[in-house]
């Protein structure tokens, strides 16, 4: 069931940095105010110093300008550091929430293409918050002020500046409209190519042994070419608008000088005003040009923001559960119907059975009969569409997922280890594993002797695909991991049967 919680959660994470945004706004105010230092300096030099030929005045003005520019640089540096911390805080506040949602959605998509990782989407938003692109939001409000200052020098200069600014805004809007689709297609094509490459890398042994390298490369090349074509198309569009905006801004500055020179010749303004107007025009249009240049980053963050909202709405936060007593290992299935996530047809219907402590039930059937589906439902990975799965009378959704996982030993058909030592894998990646329970679980799984024969024993490091371990050894370590600690149920699966055992092992 989807809820409208994703957007408020995202906004709340941003609002937690409200004071930092205010500080950035205040610093941006003074940074933009100090941007007037250059034009004012030019006015004074051209209109006063050169006329009076006073070296003392020039020296005093230069010292003051150096101090003001130093202050502006420090404030600009400070607001950059603040924005970096805003991005870091936003990401840290949502890391756990997004990580949990990604895990949940990936579990529901078992056997199918999993959801696009929200962690990359979160990182894309964080990069935007920490990038100079966001400074344009704080600088653009100053554009009308700079344009007004140009009007003070001469109305003709002001009209030229307004027309140039309006043209740049039109370019910005066209950039957003025309590049949105191409950028999204480029990101999607790149993600598909990366996903296929990762899949091939994880099955490198199979690809090598079956002589599939040429075929896999050809298929990967199709994804890669599509990705490159989409990326080039998107880059061409964004590059076109970036080049057009930069060229127009430089032309406008030169045109401003030309028009200013004409007005100086007509005696309607001074040379200092001519130079100052050109500088102000460049500063007024700079945020717009910066927004266009950084537009791919903005679009990726927009895409990530929308994807994160959808992800969080699909996986609402779970309310804290009242801790229940340790169950006595009575598993009761009551009229259970299970529909695999994404399917319309039930894999299991109206299943009813009861397992008492010490009993074991073997489920035998052909591939696709629903054996793995049953195990995933008991483990709480897949929800039930109807009926109840009860553990000592309480439905399994009344248990905290980590607590429920502590009662269940789960060995899937395909065992995967994590990067770390064998002991860390057996201890389920606990940061403080119990070595006694690790060894006890390894002995129960018949893995102790093969582990101690390795050069580093339980401290032998393995990779996500086993590393030094053979397929059978990976299975043994996976079985030891399922038995780590005091477990009440064990779900062992292979392609032909699933064993569900209740109570302590022997």
């Amino acid at each position: 069931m989807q809820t409208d919680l994703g957007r408020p959660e995202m906004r709340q994470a941003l609002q937690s940095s409200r004071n930092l945004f205010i500080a950035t706004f205040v610093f941006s105010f003074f940074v933009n105010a100090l941007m007037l230092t250059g034009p004012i300096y030019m006015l004074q030099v051209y209109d006063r110093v050169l006329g009076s030929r006073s070296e003392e005045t020039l020296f005093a003005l230069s010292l003051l300008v150096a101090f003001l520019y130093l202050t502006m640089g420090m404030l600009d540096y400070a607001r950059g550091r603040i924005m970096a911390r805003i991005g870091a805080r936003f990401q840290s506040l949502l890391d756990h929430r997004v990580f949990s949602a990604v895990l949940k959605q990936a579990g529901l998509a078992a056997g199918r293409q999993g959801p696009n990782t929200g962690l990359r989407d979160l990182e894309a938003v964080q990069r935007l918050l920490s990038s100079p692109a966001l400074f344009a939001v704080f600088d653009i409000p100053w554009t009308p002020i700079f344009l007004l200052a140009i009007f003070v020098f001469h109305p003709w200069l002001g009209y030229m500046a307004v027309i140039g600014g309006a043209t740049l805004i039109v370019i910005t809007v066209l950039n957003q409209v025309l590049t949105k689709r191409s950028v999204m297609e480029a990101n999607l094509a790149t993600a598909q190519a990366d996903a296929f490459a990762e899949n091939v890398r994880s099955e490198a042994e199979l690809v090598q042994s079956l002589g599939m390298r040429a075929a896999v490369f050809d298929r990967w090349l199709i994804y890669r070419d599509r990705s490159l074509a989409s990326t080039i198309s998107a880059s061409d569009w964004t590059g076109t608008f970036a080049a057009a905006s930069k060229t127009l801004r430089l032309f406008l500055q030169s045109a401003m000088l030309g028009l200013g020179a004409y007005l100086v010749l007509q005696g309607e303004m001074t040379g200092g005003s001519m130079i100052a107007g050109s500088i102000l025009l460049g500063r007024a249009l700079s945020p717009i040009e910066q927004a266009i240049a950084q537009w791919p980053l903005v679009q990726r963050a927009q895409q990530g923001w929308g994807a994160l909202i959808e992800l969080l709405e699909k996986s609402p936060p779970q309310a804290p559960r009242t801790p229940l007593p340790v169950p006595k290992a009575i598993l009761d299935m009551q009229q259970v119907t299970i529909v695999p996530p994404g399917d319309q047809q039930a894999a299991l219907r109206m299943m009813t059975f009861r397992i008492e402590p010490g009993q074991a039930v073997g489920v035998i059937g052909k591939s696709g009969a629903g054996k793995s589906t049953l195990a995933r439902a008991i483990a709480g990975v897949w929800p039930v569409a109807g009926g109840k799965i009860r553990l000592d009378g309480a439905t399994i959704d009344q248990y905290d997922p980590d607590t429920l996982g502590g009662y269940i030993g789960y060995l899937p058909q395909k065992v995967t280890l994590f990067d770390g030592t064998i002991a860390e894998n057996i201890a389920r990646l606990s940061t403080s594993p119990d070595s006694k329970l690790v060894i006890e679980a390894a002995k129960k799984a018949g893995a102790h002797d093969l582990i101690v024969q390795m050069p580093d024993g339980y401290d032998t490091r393995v990779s996500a695909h086993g590393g030094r371990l053979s397929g059978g050894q990976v299975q043994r370590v996976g079985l030891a991991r399922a038995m780590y600690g005091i477990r009440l149920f064990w779900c062992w699966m292979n392609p032909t049967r699933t064993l569900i055992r209740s109570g302590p092992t022997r």
Side-chain angles (χ1 to χ4, degrees):
M1 178 179 180
Q2 295 187 15
T3 58
D4 189 21
L5 292 177
R7 196 179 304 274
E9 285 186 86
M10 300 282 288
R11 288 178 176 174
Q12 185 178 1
L14 277 181
Q15 289 173 358
S16 66
S17 300
R18 184 189 298 109
N19 293 335
L20 293 180
F21 276 115
I22 293 174
T24 304
F25 174 79
V26 172
F27 286 169
S28 297
F29 174 85
F30 287 105
V31 167
N32 282 276
L34 290 172
M35 287 292 179
L36 296 172
T37 300
I40 293 175
Y41 181 68
M42 288 293 180
L43 280 172
Q44 297 302 316
V45 169
Y46 276 84
D47 297 344
R48 293 181 180 274
V49 174
L50 295 182
S52 65
R53 306 183 65 84
S54 172
E55 296 180 358
E56 293 78 6
T57 303
L58 177 62
F59 181 73
L61 284 174
S62 300
L63 282 181
L64 178 60
V65 166
F67 171 75
L68 294 177
Y69 273 130
L70 177 63
T71 304
M72 183 185 69
M74 293 177 63
L75 292 175
D76 201 21
Y77 172 73
R79 70 171 182 168
R81 290 174 62 89
I82 292 173
M83 291 306 300
R85 280 147 182 80
I86 289 176
R89 174 180 289 185
F90 176 82
Q91 184 172 4
S92 63
L93 287 175
L94 291 176
D95 267 340
H96 183 270
R97 177 77 174 90
V98 173
F99 189 85
S100 300
V102 168
L103 278 182
K104 182 177 180 179
Q105 291 300 311
L108 292 176
R112 301 173 177 81
Q113 183 179 2
N116 185 25
T117 173
L119 298 177
R120 293 180 182 176
D121 295 325
L122 180 60
E123 184 180 355
V125 178
Q126 180 269 330
R127 284 201 303 268
L128 175 64
L129 292 175
S130 304
S131 72
L134 206 62
F135 290 156
V137 176
F138 297 98
D139 294 342
I140 283 180
W142 279 81
T143 296
I145 298 176
F146 292 141
L147 294 178
L148 181 61
I150 296 175
F151 268 102
V152 173
F153 294 145
H154 199 281
W156 288 13
L157 296 181
Y159 292 136
M160 175 178 288
V162 170
I163 293 173
T167 305
L168 278 181
I169 292 175
V170 171
I171 292 177
T172 304
V173 174
L174 289 176
N175 183 29
Q176 178 181 7
V177 173
L178 297 179
T179 64
K180 182 177 182 180
R181 182 172 181 178
S182 60
V183 170
M184 291 183 62
E185 290 177 351
N187 291 334
L188 178 60
T190 301
Q192 290 176 340
D194 292 343
F196 183 79
E198 177 60 25
N199 189 19
V200 171
R201 187 190 70 82
S202 64
E203 300 296 338
E205 180 181 350
L206 177 66
V207 172
Q208 179 74 17
S209 61
L210 296 182
M212 296 169 57
R213 287 196 302 176
V216 164
F217 175 76
D218 290 340
R219 187 169 293 273
W220 174 79
L221 199 59
I222 294 174
Y223 286 108
R224 192 60 176 169
D225 288 345
R226 187 183 306 163
S227 171
L228 288 175
S230 300
T231 302
I232 290 174
S233 176
S235 178
D236 287 344
W237 276 108
T238 55
T240 298
F241 287 110
S245 64
K246 181 178 180 179
T247 303
L248 178 60
R249 185 173 68 86
L250 293 175
F251 169 76
L252 286 174
Q253 285 187 274
S254 297
M256 182 74 71
L257 283 175
L259 180 59
Y262 172 79
L263 294 173
V264 170
L265 293 177
Q266 298 299 316
E268 298 186 22
M269 61 183 300
T270 63
S273 300
M274 174 187 69
I275 301 297
S278 177
I279 296 176
L280 279 176
L281 176 67
R283 186 66 195 103
L285 302 182
S286 178
I288 303 175
E289 182 188 359
Q290 186 180 28
I292 296 175
Q294 298 287 333
W295 201 249
L297 182 63
V298 175
Q299 286 183 313
R300 179 63 185 92
Q302 287 179 329
Q303 180 184 355
W305 183 274
L308 284 173
I309 291 176
E310 182 180 358
L311 174 66
L312 297 181
E313 288 179 352
K314 287 182 178 179
S315 303
Q318 297 179 343
R321 294 173 173 81
T322 301
L324 298 176
V326 177
K328 300 177 181 178
I330 301 175
L331 180 65
D332 193 8
M333 305 278 291
Q334 302 174 351
Q335 303 290 315
V336 173
T337 297
I338 305 172
V339 179
D343 286 356
Q344 301 296 325
Q345 187 175 2
L348 296 173
R349 292 185 179 88
M350 307 297 289
M351 289 197 63
T352 299
F353 63 86
R354 181 183 175 93
I355 303 178
E356 300 287 344
Q359 290 184 332
V361 173
V363 183
I364 302 174
K366 62 181 181 180
S367 179
K371 305 180 299 296
S372 300
T373 298
L374 176 62
R376 291 188 180 108
I378 294 175
V381 178
W382 282 2
V384 297
K388 299 293 182 182
I389 301 178
R390 296 187 180 274
L391 185 58
D392 280 21
T395 57
I396 60 173
D397 58 5
Q398 296 181 32
Y399 292 90
D400 181 85
D402 285 347
T403 302
L404 180 64
Y407 298 148
I408 297 176
Y410 184 78
L411 186 67
Q413 294 181 21
K414 183 178 180 180
V415 180
T416 302
L417 302 181
F418 299 95
D419 291 333
T421 66
I422 292 178
E424 291 170 344
N425 272 274
I426 294 177
R428 303 186 175 193
L429 298 184
S430 172
T431 55
S432 55
D434 188 325
S435 58
K436 181 179 178 181
L437 293 179
V438 168
I439 296 173
E440 180 182 347
K443 288 181 177 179
K444 287 181 179 180
H448 175 73
D449 292 338
L450 69 88
I451 294 174
V452 295
Q453 290 176 5
M454 295 181 180
D456 297 323
Y458 282 90
D459 296 322
T460 301
R461 298 197 66 83
V462 295
S463 66
H465 306 291
R468 308 179 190 178
L469 306 184
S470 65
Q473 291 172 333
V474 170
Q475 288 279 346
R476 287 290 180 178
V477 173
L479 182 57
R481 178 174 60 194
M483 292 182 168
Y484 177 77
I486 302 175
R487 306 299 166 198
L488 302 179
F489 291 96
W490 287 265
C491 296
W492 300 336
M493 295 188 294
N494 65 31
T496 60
R497 61 186 180 274
T498 294
L499 174 65
I500 304 172
R501 181 184 177 92
S502 175
T505 58
R506 298 178 182 176

